[in-house]
């Protein structure tokens, strides 16, 4: 029984190291999103920090700030959802079938 428990602990430690490596990989990745008209481009890192924002000059209309704000928000949220998808894909394999309460 002791040997079985030791083997289980080794497997858990290995899985923890693999999870940490996968998390670091995600955090070091960059995710880009652009609106359909290519007017707003954003880049976020895997920590969900906005690292780059580019707005085409043609989009800047002092009379229509609301549209610009909506477009930037939608594009940033698109990039952030890419981080979530990548995290789920890479980290989900570690928790699959564990029936964890979170």
């Amino acid at each position: 029984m002791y040997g079985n428990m030791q083997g289980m602990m080794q497997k858990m430690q290995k899985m923890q190291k693999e999870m940490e490596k996968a998390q670091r990989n995600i955090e070091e990745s960059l995710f880009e999103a652009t609106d359909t008209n290519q007017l707003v481009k954003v880049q976020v890192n895997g920590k969900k920090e906005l690292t780059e924002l580019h707005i085409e000059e043609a989009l800047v209309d002092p009379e229509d700030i609301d549209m610009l704000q909506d477009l930037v928000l939608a594009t940033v949220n698109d990039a952030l959802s890419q981080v979530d998808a990548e995290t789920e894909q890479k980290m989900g394999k570690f928790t699959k079938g564990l029936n964890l309460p979170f």
Side-chain angles (χ1 to χ4, degrees):
M1 182 170 159
Y2 177 74
N4 191 21
M5 183 66 111
Q6 187 176 7
M8 182 184 235
M9 291 298 290
Q10 288 175 341
K11 285 181 185 178
M12 291 296 289
Q13 288 173 341
K14 182 180 179 200
M15 186 172 80
Q16 182 179 4
K17 286 181 182 173
E18 290 174 2
M19 286 175 65
E20 289 170 357
K21 182 180 177 184
Q23 185 64 44
R24 272 193 313 276
N25 182 274
I26 291 167
E27 289 176 356
E28 293 169 358
S29 297
L30 295 175
F31 301 85
E32 287 188 4
T34 306
D35 71 287
T36 55
N37 295 318
Q38 309 271 316
L39 298 172
V40 174
K41 177 182 171 186
V42 299
Q43 184 180 77
V44 298
N45 62 25
K47 297 177 187 177
K48 296 186 177 182
E49 298 168 334
L50 185 62
T51 58
E52 185 178 312
L53 170 62
H54 176 77
I55 300 171
E56 285 295 322
E57 191 175 315
L59 186 59
V60 181
D61 178 359
E63 302 295 318
D64 196 1
I65 293 294
D66 289 339
M67 187 214 29
L68 175 59
Q69 292 171 337
D70 290 346
L71 199 53
V72 170
L73 284 173
T75 308
V76 169
N77 286 332
D78 181 27
L80 293 175
S81 70
Q82 291 178 37
V83 177
D84 290 339
E86 183 80 4
T87 300
E88 177 61 33
Q89 179 193 2
K90 289 189 175 180
M91 302 303 287
K93 66 182 177 187
F94 295 110
T95 57
K96 197 173 199 174
L98 291 180
N99 200 17
L100 297 173
F102 50 86

